[in-house]
Amino acid sequence: MQDDALTAQAQAWLAEDPDPDTREELARLIDAGDHTEIAARFSGTLQFGTAGLRGELGAGPMRMNRSVVIRAAAGLAAYLKKHGTPHGDDTAGLVVIGYDARHKSRDFAEDTAAVMTGAGLRAAVLNRPLPTPVLAFAIRHLGAVAGVEVTASHNPPRDNGYKVYLGDGSQIVPPADAEIAAEIEAVASLTTVPRPTEGWETLDDTVLDAYLARTDAVLSKGSPRTARTVYTAMHGVGKDVLLAAFERAGFPEPVLVAEQADPDPEFPTVAFPNPEEPGAMDLAFAKARETDPDLVIANDPDADRCAAAVRDGADWRMLRGDEVGALLAAHLVRRGATGTFAESIVSSSLLGRIAGKAGLPYEETLTGFKWIARVEGLRYGYEEALGYCVDPDGVRDKDGITAALLLTELASGLKAEGRTLLDLLDDLAVEHGLHATDQLSVRVQDLGLIASAMRRLRDRPPTELAGLRVTEAEDLTRGTAALPPTDGLRYTLDGARVVVRPSGTEPKLKCYLEVVVPVATRTGLPEARAKATALLARIKQDLSEAAGI
């Protein structure tokens, strides 16, 4: 009986599906009587949350497809109309829509524009696949009431996603996410959603030109611009915009990793198109060994993240996100930046030390730029997953293009002094203590394993890790004086910190580790690093056992 009900549900979905590709896919499953796969597609709905939507492409409500996107767009339109325009007049609100180069991204963007137009709003679509930061910039630049970026960022090729911003240029946070989700749930049928075939605007390059002009504000006038770079776009949409920004700034033209330079939704040279994943930077390192640059830079596929690698001894190594975060902060302090420095709770506490020493305000937020971007008086924000907001007045989100510019300016200045980024990291360690970070990340097929690990840690919280006493154990579902509730655990130890949380965008349990080792002089750094490495390894092992993963 259950199989019959699912099949009937699938047939009803099929009757409305506007996409011939997913119609064919679903019809094949129904004809084959593949109840297991049909159940996987129709056992629920893809949940709309603070990351918008993200999931595997395919037919059915548990996959990313045009039917799901049309419903999401209709829910967003209803929310926007209910809340009115911020301009206090009768002008229909403008919704700006951007998209990356993944499978179906353009289709999803045009469906969104059609729904917004049919709802009586104005819609404008970026004219080609462009970095997410360009869309985030366009919202504020054009005075839009909302923006949508169709992207799955650095997820595998089979995925796509739908990221929603409101008129302040920041990603949605509660309660807006729940209110939009309720409007999506209220869409009974696609037949109730008007979708005209025209009526929206396709933007020209004026917005991109304005974004590039805004990058001038990121750099100091007259600063050195000599650092040579190798650059990989990781098969994404960053290349043309980054090259234009570097040319505008007067940096040497980056040497491209040709195999990964142009958009390709199959991401053929990497298992995961994320610079943090093992092997993703291998081609960039090979190009660096061949050309001997000062710096290697990588964007993720939608170019909102920025990774960097440096020569370390005889070879190249990736800098951790926390290392780049500290370097950019130190550079901004040296330039005399004012305003609040902010980071997520999973990022290194070194940023707080740097801000404190400079007499600058500092705040911690929950994970995600949707929170960091909302910090009052924000001047600089980052989180360890390679996200940096270096120009919040221009882009109130992470931006891998402007972060690359600022990092290359820093490398150029150090080069003029006969120094490197590693030398500056050593200076920071001596000044503030060696802050060493690592991550224990477990990818699962069964999401129940993540819930089980979190439950086990809540039921039997560790009292010590790596021989360090746990001085405070916080269940973040209860919130704190400074943070709203979230599904996470935070342990403070003597000289260390651990945060455990389920990923919001991938089937992963993520554990963020940090140890702080005092160091008096540069000669003490090797011993401090060895101690930190050993402590992190032991914390990983002990935490893994405590969580049962």
Side-chain angles (χ1 to χ4, degrees):
M1 191 66 176
Q2 187 179 9
D3 288 345
D4 291 343
L6 281 172
T7 300
Q9 189 181 351
Q11 287 170 332
W13 184 276
L14 178 63
E16 289 190 346
D17 191 339
D19 189 332
D21 294 335
T22 46
R23 277 205 312 272
E24 180 184 346
E25 176 189 333
L26 185 53
R28 195 164 55 245
L29 294 175
I30 294 170
D31 291 344
D34 191 342
H35 300 301
T36 300
E37 188 59 29
I38 292 172
R41 312 296 186 91
F42 287 87
S43 57
T45 58
L46 206 58
Q47 291 302 298
F48 185 92
T50 50
L53 293 167
R54 195 176 292 187
E56 185 176 346
L57 290 162
M62 287 292 288
R63 298 289 186 267
M64 280 296 298
N65 51 65
R66 290 182 60 195
S67 296
V68 165
V69 164
I70 290 166
R71 283 179 165 81
L76 174 60
Y79 170 88
L80 293 172
K81 293 185 75 174
K82 190 171 288 185
H83 285 75
T85 70
H87 307 299
D89 57 26
D90 294 329
T91 304
L94 172 66
V95 179
V96 189
I97 302 150
Y99 58 99
D100 67 10
R102 285 176 177 267
H103 294 299
K104 298 291 181 182
S105 285
R106 185 182 179 93
D107 292 342
F108 295 167
E110 291 180 346
D111 281 331
T112 301
V115 171
M116 295 301 161
T117 303
L121 296 161
R122 291 185 299 134
V125 184
L126 296 179
N127 60 348
R128 62 182 182 278
L130 287 167
T132 294
V134 176
L135 180 278
F137 168 83
I139 295 166
R140 291 160 66 90
H141 179 68
L142 298 174
V145 297
V148 171
E149 176 71 14
V150 180
T151 182
S153 190
H154 55 270
N155 275 38
R158 64 179 180 273
D159 290 357
N160 212 327
Y162 197 80
K163 187 183 293 188
V164 176
Y165 298 76
L166 293 182
D168 62 355
S170 301
Q171 296 175 51
I172 54 170
V173 296
D177 58 342
E179 293 174 16
I180 296 170
E183 297 289 354
I184 295 170
E185 185 69 24
V187 179
S189 166
L190 293 192
T191 59
T192 66
V193 182
R195 286 184 290 128
T197 57
E198 57 184 17
W200 59 88
E201 179 184 358
T202 298
L203 296 167
D204 59 21
D205 277 344
T206 305
V207 169
L208 176 59
D209 292 343
Y211 169 84
L212 289 168
R214 175 70 203 182
T215 63
D216 293 349
V218 173
L219 304 176
S220 295
K221 283 185 170 53
S223 61
R225 310 281 169 95
T226 59
R228 296 179 303 106
T229 55
V230 160
Y231 171 71
T232 175
M234 207 63 69
H235 298 296
V237 299
K239 179 194 73 175
D240 291 346
V241 179
L242 182 131
L243 289 180
F246 269 56
E247 181 180 14
R248 182 182 182 94
F251 289 116
E253 182 178 357
V255 175
L256 298 179
V257 178
E259 301 92 329
Q260 298 173 334
D262 294 320
D264 187 333
E266 292 298 322
F267 304 103
T269 67
V270 290
F272 289 92
N274 178 355
E276 294 178 294
E277 292 285 346
M281 295 290 288
D282 286 357
L283 289 172
F285 290 162
K287 182 61 71 173
R289 293 181 195 109
E290 176 189 324
T291 59
D292 194 29
D294 300 298
L295 186 64
V296 174
I297 290 172
N299 286 138
D300 68 339
D302 68 326
D304 63 350
R305 289 173 169 83
C306 175
V310 294
R311 180 178 288 283
D312 188 3
D315 209 352
W316 290 80
R317 78 164 175 92
M318 275 274 289
L319 293 174
R320 289 190 166 277
D322 285 317
E323 291 177 310
V324 174
L327 288 167
L328 293 175
H331 184 44
L332 289 170
V333 165
R334 186 176 179 182
R335 281 179 23 178
T338 58
T340 301
F341 281 28
E343 64 180 338
S344 62
I345 59 172
V346 301
S347 305
S348 172
S349 59
L350 177 55
L351 183 68
R353 303 271 184 102
I354 292 170
K357 181 77 177 289
L360 295 174
Y362 163 78
E363 282 196 32
E364 276 189 321
T365 74
L366 294 183
T367 307
F369 266 83
K370 57 186 176 284
W371 299 108
I372 294 171
R374 285 179 161 74
V375 168
E376 188 173 348
L378 181 68
R379 174 59 186 88
Y380 168 65
Y382 98 92
E383 67 179 359
E384 54 74 44
L386 309 181
Y388 313 95
C389 176
V390 303
D391 178 28
D393 290 339
V395 175
R396 201 152 273 270
D397 196 6
K398 54 187 177 291
D399 183 346
I401 305 296
T402 52
L405 286 170
L406 191 63
L407 191 63
T408 307
E409 178 186 65
L410 172 57
S412 298
L414 290 167
K415 182 179 180 181
E417 300 169 3
R419 285 159 44 82
T420 68
L421 295 174
L422 293 182
D423 291 324
L424 180 53
L425 284 173
D426 287 350
D427 293 346
L428 294 173
V430 172
E431 186 174 2
H432 302 289
L434 176 68
H435 289 62
T437 58
D438 202 353
Q439 191 178 128
L440 173 62
S441 181
V442 181
R443 185 180 293 271
V444 300
Q445 294 292 327
D446 178 6
L447 291 176
L449 295 175
I450 294 177
S452 175
M454 295 296 288
R455 186 167 55 249
R456 179 169 170 153
L457 288 170
R458 286 188 169 104
D459 291 345
R460 296 188 297 277
T463 56
E464 71 171 40
L465 296 167
L468 302 175
R469 185 170 62 90
V470 176
T471 58
E472 185 177 15
E474 298 172 275
D475 186 342
L476 298 177
T477 55
R478 304 186 180 100
T480 72
L483 300 171
T486 188
D487 186 9
L489 301 164
R490 180 165 60 180
Y491 304 113
T492 303
L493 298 87
D494 288 327
R497 180 224 64 199
V498 173
V499 177
V500 183
R501 59 179 283 272
S503 170
T505 56
E506 298 177 90
K508 283 182 175 181
L509 181 68
K510 304 183 90 170
C511 310
Y512 305 85
L513 324 174
E514 179 178 41
V515 299
V516 182
V517 180
V519 54
T521 65
R522 294 173 79 90
T523 57
L525 281 170
E527 182 182 348
R529 287 199 176 95
K531 180 179 179 180
T533 299
L535 278 172
L536 287 169
R538 289 176 60 197
I539 291 174
K540 261 189 186 181
Q541 182 177 348
D542 290 353
L543 184 64
S544 180
E545 291 176 4
I549 53 177

